[in-house]
Amino acid sequence: MRNRRPRTLARLTLAAALVTGLTGLAGAASAEVPAPPQTGAAKSDNITHLASKPMTGPLAGGVNTDMAFAGKVAYVGNYSGFAIYDIADPADPQLISQVSCPGSQSDISVSDGLLFLSTDSSRSDNSCQSVSQSPTIKESWEGIKIFDVKDPRNPRYVAAVETRCGSHTHTLIPDKARRAVYLYNSSYFPNATYPDCQPPHDRVDIVKVPLRHPEQAAVVASPVLFPDGGFPGSATGYATSGCHDITAFPARDIAAAACMGDGLLLDISRPERPTVIDRVQNAENFSFWHGATFNGDGSKVVFMDELGGGGGAECTPEVGPNKGATAIFDLEKRKLVFRSYYKIDRHQAANENCVSHNGSLIPVRGRDIMVQAWYQGGFSVWDFTDSAHPREIGYFDRPPRNPASFGGYWSVYYYNGAIYGTESVTGFDVFRIKDRRTDSAARVKLKELNVQTQPAFWG
C-alpha cells in the first residue's frame, strides 16, 4: 500500500477527468442488449419480475455487488467500478452513467451527494487507472475512494483514503451535527508479508469525511475491538482477524458487527470511540459471520453466515438447515439472545453457489419482514416477527447457470415500493411484491437508503 495519507487533490482531479470520460451512457447503452430472460425461474405468486438491465460498457464482465439509493436513483457497485440508474419507473430503470474504476469489491454508499467506494484489492495507486500490484510492495494502495455524484451524469472523483488491509466493506455513520459522516472500514486477512496489513488486525479504521470538504477525509481513529485476539478458529469456523461488515442503527446508537468468528453489538454513541456491548463468539453452526440486519425498532438483529465464502453449494440436503443460514437474535437488556435459524428450504443443485447473503428490512409496522439474497438460490421474503419460528412468505428462485459457474443474487434490497437485486454476473434486476402482509410498506418513502445504515421506521 502507498502512504497512509490521501493523494494530493491535484492528482485526484486528473484521475477524475479520465474517469468521467467513461460516463454518459444513459438509456442507449442499456438498450443495446436485450434483457436476459429468466427462463426456468420458480417464484411465489406474490412476486413479479419487472426488469433486467444487463451490464454494459466498462462494467461488462465484472461482478455486481452492493447497492445504495438516493431519491429516484440507484447506485450499483461492481468489481470494475459502479453504475448509476434512474429508477423513477422501477419497471424500466435507465442507465444514467457508469464509472470504470477497477478494484474489488466496490462496496458502496451515498450521502449528501457523495459516493463512497471500497477497494479491497492491492493496486498500483489510488487512481481509477491503477493496475493490480502485490500487497507485499509498500507502495501498493487499497482503501476508500470518494466521488461527487450531485450530477449523476458526471460523477467526479474528489478524494481517496488508504486503510490498513484495504476496504472490503464500509458503513456510513452520520455525525449528529450533520457536518460530516464517519465510515467504519471493515477489512481482514492480515499477512506478515504485507507492509501495511500486519497481524494482529484486531481493529476497524474510522474515516471522517467533512461534507463540505470531502477532500479532507482522513482516518481519525482505529479502535481495537478484539483485545484478546478474537475467536481463535476451529475446524468449522474462521479465526477472527478483522470485521467483514458492520450494520449501524443510529437512532439507538448501536451497531452489529459481523467479524469472521465473532458477532458484536457495539455502542456507537461516540462515533470515533465505538465500544463492545456484547459478543457472541462463533455461535453453533456458524462458519463466517458475514453481515447483519436489524428489525424496524432495533430490538432484534439477524446475522448471516457465509459458509463456503459465497462460492460453495451450501443449500443442499447434505449441508442441512442450520449451516450457511441466518441466525435471529433478540436484544434483551443490550444482550444478544439467540432464538433460531432461518434458511431457504428449496434445495439447490450441487453446482449452484448458494448461501445466506445480503438483504434488507421491508418496513411493515408491527411485523419483522425482510428480503434476502441467496446467490443462485435467488431471494427470499421472510417474516421473523416470531423470532423462534421464522417463515417464508415469498421467493424468486433463479435457474442454475449453464454451464455451471459462479452467479446469483449478491444483494437484494427493498426501497420505496420495489425490490432491487444485483445479479452478480448478469445485471441489475427489479421486482415487485404484492401481498397484504407487505403492502403497507409502500407508504414508507425514504430520501436515501444505505442498507448498512438502517433507519428507525418506528419505536
Side-chain angles (χ1 to χ4, degrees):
M1 300 179 188
R2 218 179 271 271
N3 297 331
R4 290 196 173 100
R5 292 175 294 173
R7 297 287 186 276
T8 64
L9 186 59
R11 175 73 177 272
L12 292 172
T13 302
L14 172 61
L18 295 171
V19 172
T20 54
L22 295 171
T23 65
L25 302 176
S30 60
E32 291 174 2
V33 181
Q38 290 286 355
T39 305
K43 68 179 189 67
S44 56
D45 291 340
N46 56 0
I47 299 292
T48 301
H49 185 204
L50 299 178
S52 289
K53 294 294 179 178
M55 290 181 276
T56 61
L59 306 190
V63 175
N64 275 338
T65 58
D66 213 11
M67 296 174 282
F69 305 87
K72 296 180 179 179
V73 177
Y75 303 85
V76 178
N78 183 289
Y79 270 53
S80 297
F82 64 91
I84 304 177
Y85 289 89
D86 182 334
I87 54 171
D89 179 1
D92 188 23
Q94 294 297 310
L95 181 65
I96 299 173
S97 62
Q98 48 190 344
V99 170
S100 173
C101 199
S104 69
Q105 61 179 11
S106 295
D107 194 57
I108 196 167
S109 62
V110 294
S111 181
D112 291 274
L114 297 175
L115 181 147
F116 308 102
L117 196 73
S118 286
T119 298
D120 192 34
S121 60
S122 187
R123 312 294 297 178
S124 56
D125 58 47
N126 70 349
S127 76
C128 286
Q129 292 73 47
S130 66
V131 296
S132 294
Q133 183 167 284
S134 171
T136 62
I137 299 172
K138 173 68 177 174
E139 291 73 22
S140 295
W141 186 92
E142 297 177 75
I144 297 173
K145 301 182 178 83
I146 304 173
F147 293 79
D148 184 322
V149 291
K150 294 181 182 67
D151 178 359
R153 294 183 179 275
N154 294 288
R156 185 172 61 89
Y157 184 9
V158 296
V161 180
E162 188 170 24
T163 55
R164 277 173 285 198
C165 297
S167 179
H168 194 72
T169 66
H170 67 267
T171 302
L172 190 150
I173 311 293
D175 173 29
K176 289 181 171 61
R178 301 188 178 184
R179 295 173 183 166
V181 294
Y182 292 93
L183 305 176
Y184 282 21
N185 182 71
S186 295
S187 57
Y188 54 98
F189 283 158
N191 190 300
T193 67
Y194 299 167
D196 291 321
C197 184
Q198 293 285 300
H201 186 58
D202 50 9
R203 66 197 68 204
V204 294
D205 287 331
I206 299 176
V207 176
K208 185 176 183 179
V209 184
L211 293 175
R212 291 188 178 181
H213 296 284
E215 70 278 3
Q216 297 175 8
V219 175
V220 295
S222 297
V224 172
L225 300 182
F226 307 100
D228 64 352
F231 181 67
S234 67
T236 57
Y238 278 82
T240 298
S241 61
C243 291
H244 178 273
D245 208 352
I246 299 171
T247 295
F249 198 88
R252 291 188 60 180
D253 286 329
I254 56 175
C259 303
M260 305 180 71
D262 291 84
L264 305 181
L265 183 66
L266 303 177
D267 181 325
I268 59 170
S269 56
R270 295 184 295 175
E272 294 184 23
R273 298 181 181 181
T275 58
V276 177
I277 301 170
D278 195 23
R279 167 177 169 182
V280 180
Q281 196 169 64
N282 206 55
E284 184 181 3
N285 291 317
F286 255 53
S287 171
F288 188 93
W289 294 71
H290 177 274
T293 299
F294 288 95
N295 68 341
D297 64 3
S299 62
K300 299 178 185 179
V301 62
V302 303
F303 282 98
M304 296 79 173
D305 174 22
E306 194 184 42
L307 177 68
E314 311 297 351
C315 299
T316 63
E318 293 76 19
V319 174
N322 295 333
K323 296 181 179 180
T326 300
I328 304 165
F329 291 82
D330 288 345
L331 299 186
E332 297 183 358
K333 297 181 180 179
R334 289 164 58 100
K335 295 290 185 181
L336 293 162
V337 180
F338 173 76
R339 293 303 184 200
S340 66
Y341 291 108
Y342 171 76
K343 188 175 183 180
I344 58 173
D345 60 6
R346 288 171 301 284
H347 291 142
Q348 305 294 304
N351 62 353
E352 289 184 278
N353 59 297
C354 176
V355 73
S356 175
H357 219 244
N358 297 343
S360 78
L361 201 69
I362 298 179
V364 178
R365 181 175 289 275
R367 307 295 299 179
D368 301 323
I369 298 175
M370 70 176 291
V371 58
Q372 186 180 357
W374 292 83
Y375 281 115
Q376 287 199 63
F379 68 81
S380 176
V381 180
W382 58 287
D383 186 322
F384 59 104
T385 307
D386 181 347
S387 302
H389 301 95
R391 60 192 182 94
E392 184 172 74
I393 64 172
Y395 71 92
F396 180 89
D397 187 352
R398 49 146 298 135
R401 293 183 59 77
N402 187 17
S405 61
F406 172 83
Y409 289 106
W410 182 291
S411 299
V412 180
Y413 298 151
Y414 180 93
Y415 177 69
N416 289 357
I419 293 172
Y420 298 88
T422 45
E423 212 295 336
S424 302
V425 295
T426 61
F428 177 56
D429 285 5
V430 189
F431 299 83
R432 178 164 285 134
I433 181 168
K434 181 64 177 175
D435 190 292
R436 59 177 177 76
R437 294 165 290 190
T438 60
D439 286 347
S440 65
R443 295 196 291 268
V444 177
K445 298 297 183 184
L446 301 177
K447 294 182 179 179
E448 190 173 276
L449 178 63
N450 298 294
V451 169
Q452 285 73 39
T453 308
Q454 282 193 236
F457 291 109
W458 41 80

